[in-house]
Amino acid sequence: MIEEFQLVQVMDQQGQLVQSEYEKDISEELTRTFYRHLIRIRTFDRKAVSLQRQGRIGTYAPFEGQEASQVGSALALQEKDWLFPSYRDHGATMTFGHSLLHILLFWKGRNEGCVPPEGKNIFTPGIPIATQLPHAVGAAFAEKRKGTRNAAIVYFGDGATSEGDFHEGLNLASVWGAPVVFFNQNNQYAISVPMHKQMKTKTIAQKALAYDIPSIRIDGNDIFAVYFETLNALERARNGDGPTLIESVTWRYGAHTTADDPTKYRDQQESESRRKDNDPVDRLTKYMELRGWLDEEWTASVQKECAKEVDLAVDELEAYPAGDPSLIFDYVFATPTWTIQEQKEKLLEQLRGE
């Protein structure tokens, strides 16, 4: 079965194109746009990990190593499309136009962090595994019923494909012909469990066969493969040809979250080896160097601009008005029960020091 889903590459680890037919579509401007977004979200990710270690935000889910999968796919979207992220896809939401401040507010535990910019169809990050897949199918089907050409993309990890919501989502999308792209980032570990311990199938892509959905397995660290194959899947969706499952094979360098210790279940030397040989930013850098599209002055300016933008968002976060912890009780029921009301009053007493 795995022979039917060979890894699709456009650019190899040395930055060489292996599918020359794409060369005409790869301009210097497009490549520089990719590079800027990769640096931007990596800068944000590293800053967020640092903020968590300093106690300035809560538990955080890092994505370093998966940047090409998130940037390449998000840049394939159109303005009115829908984006349904998991808790690790803030790189994709940033690329699609989410506010850095609001992403940080989310990781600070603030309700405001769930609100996307006006006019942006970005769903609240799915914390329970795979619950966002049926939601994405519903939004996509609604667009189909309205007669638009808008599509949806939904992100999830390899562990999500072991959940019932994954199968329900694919089944409904297949039956309804919903214009949705299921974008799996297979970073090969569902928290601490490697892929071979959570499923018998050799690929994620082959799971689409049961639902008569086309699927493809791509090199998730090759931003060109991610971008062009996501464009293809979205175009199928817009043309009324239904859903596609993309398995983007990648790797996260760090922990599942900042509350996790990956050394207990994974050889971290493998992460360092992958960083050295197959880093998504380095691969694009090599391609740009070969084309003569990269110079030190420009890259330094990009890094400086991204760092400044992230630092400004952090300043805005820390100047944000203090939140009201008692709000956590207000939206459990339409009318609070006596037990909820009692808990709220006890919390308020503690906050007042009574």
Side-chain angles (χ1 to χ4, degrees):
M1 183 62 64
I2 193 169
E3 289 77 11
E4 297 180 28
F5 293 100
Q6 293 299 312
L7 204 66
V8 173
Q9 275 188 344
V10 174
M11 171 182 60
D12 65 18
Q13 281 94 327
Q14 287 71 48
Q16 299 277 4
L17 289 188
V18 294
Q19 295 196 50
S20 58
E21 64 269 26
Y22 286 99
E23 188 167 5
K24 67 183 186 305
D25 300 314
I26 301 174
S27 65
E28 181 176 359
E29 180 183 4
L30 178 65
T31 308
R32 286 191 170 216
T33 298
F34 287 162
Y35 182 86
R36 186 180 296 277
H37 280 286
L38 291 174
I39 296 300
R40 181 173 180 257
I41 72 169
R42 178 165 286 188
T43 301
F44 177 92
D45 190 61
R46 290 178 175 179
K47 186 70 171 183
V49 172
S50 177
L51 291 172
Q52 191 281 329
R53 296 307 189 208
Q54 297 170 50
R56 294 159 73 185
I57 62 172
T59 300
Y60 175 76
F63 56 74
E64 185 167 352
Q66 300 183 207
E67 292 93 344
S69 289
Q70 297 199 24
V71 169
S73 56
L75 285 177
L77 295 168
Q78 294 182 5
E79 183 69 21
K80 295 300 181 183
D81 287 338
W82 288 81
L83 191 157
F84 288 77
S86 77
Y87 48 76
R88 200 184 305 282
D89 300 307
H90 27 295
T93 62
M94 284 172 59
T95 303
F96 192 48
H98 211 327
S99 154
L100 272 62
L101 168 62
H102 283 77
I103 295 171
L104 288 171
L105 283 168
F106 176 83
W107 292 106
K108 187 80 170 176
R110 299 290 294 269
N111 287 341
E112 298 92 332
C114 298
V115 181
E118 186 70 29
K120 280 291 181 182
N121 295 322
I122 301 174
F123 203 67
T124 301
I127 303 299
I129 306 300
T131 54
Q132 68 274 20
L133 275 77
H135 295 151
V137 175
F141 186 52
E143 294 290 351
K144 180 179 180 179
R145 291 291 299 270
K146 292 179 200 175
T148 77
R149 283 181 56 80
N150 302 330
I153 188 168
V154 57
Y155 294 88
F156 53 98
D158 46 293
T161 71
S162 299
E163 296 282 344
D165 302 73
F166 168 81
H167 298 279
E168 292 160 9
L170 264 67
N171 186 56
L172 283 173
S174 176
V175 171
W176 292 341
V180 58
V181 175
F182 296 99
F183 194 89
N184 166 245
Q185 288 172 93
N186 181 3
N187 64 24
Q188 300 167 63
Y189 277 85
I191 309 183
S192 59
V193 182
M195 184 175 164
H196 71 271
K197 287 188 175 181
Q198 57 168 311
M199 63 188 74
K200 187 76 178 288
T201 57
K202 303 299 183 184
T203 71
I204 302 294
Q206 71 195 74
K207 296 188 179 190
L209 293 173
Y211 304 101
D212 197 26
I213 291 175
S215 59
I216 188 168
R217 190 168 186 259
I218 62 175
D219 182 340
N221 286 16
D222 171 3
I223 195 166
F224 296 142
V226 175
Y227 176 70
F228 288 117
E229 292 302 337
T230 307
L231 271 181
N232 290 341
L234 288 166
E235 189 62 21
R236 285 191 68 258
R238 298 187 207 287
N239 291 337
D241 295 325
T244 303
L245 171 63
I246 297 176
E247 177 187 357
S248 187
V249 181
T250 183
W251 187 267
R252 59 172 165 83
Y253 295 137
H256 174 72
T257 72
T258 50
D260 173 43
D261 180 4
T263 63
K264 294 186 179 299
Y265 57 81
R266 192 177 73 181
D267 181 0
Q268 287 302 96
Q269 290 184 347
E270 183 174 1
S271 270
E272 291 311 306
S273 175
R274 287 174 181 266
R275 184 188 292 275
K276 181 180 177 182
D277 298 332
N278 195 24
D279 182 79
V281 179
D282 288 348
R283 283 175 70 171
L284 183 63
T285 300
K286 290 174 183 176
Y287 175 81
M288 295 176 75
E289 287 174 341
L290 290 170
R291 299 299 298 267
W293 291 347
L294 203 67
D295 63 79
E296 291 184 8
E297 183 178 351
W298 181 76
T299 56
S301 70
V302 168
Q303 291 165 3
K304 184 177 180 180
E305 289 167 13
C306 291
K308 183 178 180 180
E309 181 187 9
V310 172
D311 286 343
L312 178 61
V314 174
D315 290 343
E316 291 175 333
L317 169 73
E318 298 191 325
Y320 209 79
D324 178 3
S326 69
L327 286 174
I328 62 175
F329 301 102
D330 291 350
Y331 302 102
V332 180
F333 297 105
T335 303
T337 63
W338 69 267
T339 54
I340 294 289
Q341 192 62 36
E342 184 178 274
Q343 292 173 47
K344 180 177 180 177
E345 289 169 0
K346 286 183 178 179
L347 174 65
L348 290 173
E349 288 173 3
Q350 290 179 359
L351 292 174
R352 291 191 298 263
E354 298 178 2

